[in-house]
Amino acid sequence: MPSDKFDPGDPSRWMETLSNWGRWGADDELGTINLITPEKRLRAVRLDTEGTTISCAQPITYASTPDQPSPTRRFMLSSAEAHAHADTPMGMAMDAFLIAPHGFSITHLDALAHFFWQGQMYNGRPAHAVSAERGATFAAVDVAANGVMSRGVLLDIPALKGVDWLAPGTAVRAHNLWAAEVRQGVKVETGDILFVRTGYPRYRRAKGPADADDEIPGWTALYPGMLKRPGLHPDCLPFLYERGVAMLGGDTATDVSPPDADAAGVSIHTVGIVAMGLWLIDNCDHEDLAAACHRLQRWEFLASVAPLKLQNATGCPVNPLVLM
């Protein structure tokens, strides 16, 4: 049933009604990760009944594409060529990487320092707590360095609609999440890591990264790599808040693209990160996970995410793992 917390005409109200500021103390930097209790983790571990592991990450590639205009750069510091005529039989290869995790292609975890709203970030801290000189001095990604492990749930929206994937620009609405729960016989609970499948990685493999129809006038120029993509509509926010989702993983950059005009710039990222303290995993790949869930007819599992200990970072690449 629709929530009275969603008012598309008053986005500032969402920042109040869906706020977790102060809920876990004035100095809290963990946000919704606080919802994952030791008991929740222990129950989640029991969901690993087959010993099967599944990665929900996209491969990190090096080619420039329309949705990856600033690809990862790899530098070989040492390779076989350097040892071809060496006197010693021992050789080694070493490389280095330049990675910009935020965007529309790399599977990455957004720290709560990633987004601001009206000059503030999560828990009411001023936005200038993140600076060019020092990076994120509050709510950086390494506050989750102990890792996140909990019950994971997949809601498969294309399966709900009887299609292989959602078309670019299609919004996943709150009523789709409820209907997927009913269809799959599963319910999202407090402290869960929720994965929402749109099928975009399957679409991209079949159709390629983009065509002219994927361009969004105004938006693509402002945010290079931003194209028409399926994703969550802002009216999913009350669902995420009321169910107590600890972490949300989308198989695009989570928000529907282009943004909904009635939402006045408010998105899953702005309200989710700033008001709720909700950690987002963007650009996952749920295709192998969905296949396993359909095979087992089981939509809950043990899920884990372990960010790097990158000091003062607003996010980092991750490889979300599922154990079934």
Side-chain angles (χ1 to χ4, degrees):
M1 56 185 296
S3 171
D4 61 3
K5 294 180 183 291
F6 176 70
D7 180 359
D10 187 7
S12 62
R13 183 169 177 260
W14 305 352
M15 304 302 293
E16 282 183 30
T17 59
L18 305 183
S19 174
N20 283 320
W21 289 10
R23 179 175 177 179
W24 298 289
D27 296 323
D28 176 62
E29 300 176 77
L30 286 175
T32 51
I33 292 177
N34 286 291
L35 297 169
I36 306 175
T37 63
E39 295 75 20
K40 178 79 178 183
R41 294 188 191 96
L42 289 172
R43 289 196 301 272
V45 168
R46 301 187 189 105
L47 295 173
D48 179 15
T49 59
E50 279 202 338
T52 300
T53 60
I54 300 170
S55 168
C56 293
Q58 300 269 13
I60 296 178
T61 58
Y62 312 113
S64 178
T65 61
D67 53 356
Q68 185 176 247
S70 299
T72 296
R73 303 303 175 96
R74 182 188 64 202
F75 305 92
M76 294 305 299
L77 305 180
S78 178
S79 63
E81 293 92 336
H83 301 279
H85 304 291
D87 293 334
T88 174
M90 184 194 74
M92 70 178 71
M94 297 185 295
D95 40 20
F97 301 89
L98 176 62
I99 304 176
H102 295 297
F104 307 94
S105 58
I106 293 176
T107 307
H108 66 272
L109 180 64
D110 287 339
L112 301 187
H114 179 42
F115 259 71
F116 318 124
W117 179 260
Q118 295 182 346
Q120 291 181 296
M121 55 189 291
Y122 170 68
N123 225 4
R125 291 298 176 99
H128 61 67
V130 183
S131 67
E133 179 184 1
R134 302 182 63 194
T137 60
F138 179 80
V141 76
D142 61 337
V143 304
N146 285 333
V148 180
M149 181 179 294
S150 190
R151 174 184 184 244
V153 171
L154 175 70
L155 295 183
D156 191 341
I157 308 306
L160 171 71
K161 297 191 173 190
V163 296
D164 291 332
W165 52 67
L166 303 185
T170 302
V172 175
R173 308 297 296 252
H175 65 82
N176 298 137
L177 303 181
W178 297 316
E181 284 186 316
V182 172
R183 180 181 182 275
Q184 296 172 197
V186 69
K187 185 172 183 179
V188 178
E189 300 171 354
T190 299
D192 283 349
I193 299 174
L194 173 61
F195 297 104
V196 179
R197 176 178 178 257
T198 71
Y200 173 70
R202 183 176 178 182
Y203 169 90
R204 191 184 189 280
R205 285 191 282 270
K207 303 289 188 178
D211 58 37
D213 291 337
D214 287 327
E215 296 283 338
I216 308 171
W219 287 98
T220 302
L222 188 61
Y223 299 104
M226 183 176 181
L227 304 166
K228 289 181 183 177
R229 295 291 179 258
L232 272 65
H233 186 276
D235 74 1
C236 294
L237 285 160
F239 177 98
L240 302 172
Y241 179 85
E242 291 162 358
R243 294 299 181 86
V245 171
M247 191 170 277
L248 173 65
D251 59 4
T252 59
T254 304
D255 280 283
V256 64
S257 176
D260 185 272
D262 294 333
V266 166
S267 65
I268 303 297
H269 274 73
T270 50
V271 177
I273 291 176
V274 181
M276 295 167 53
L278 175 64
W279 293 71
L280 303 182
I281 318 167
D282 289 338
N283 307 316
C284 295
D285 187 335
H286 301 324
E287 295 308 293
D288 289 345
L289 174 59
C293 288
H294 282 281
R295 176 175 62 84
L296 297 172
Q297 283 299 292
R298 180 159 63 90
W299 306 94
E300 58 176 357
F301 36 80
L302 174 63
S304 67
V305 181
L308 301 174
K309 291 186 176 181
L310 288 172
Q311 292 185 337
N312 296 15
T314 62
C316 78
V318 289
N319 182 14
L321 297 177
V322 163
L323 292 88
M324 301 190 71

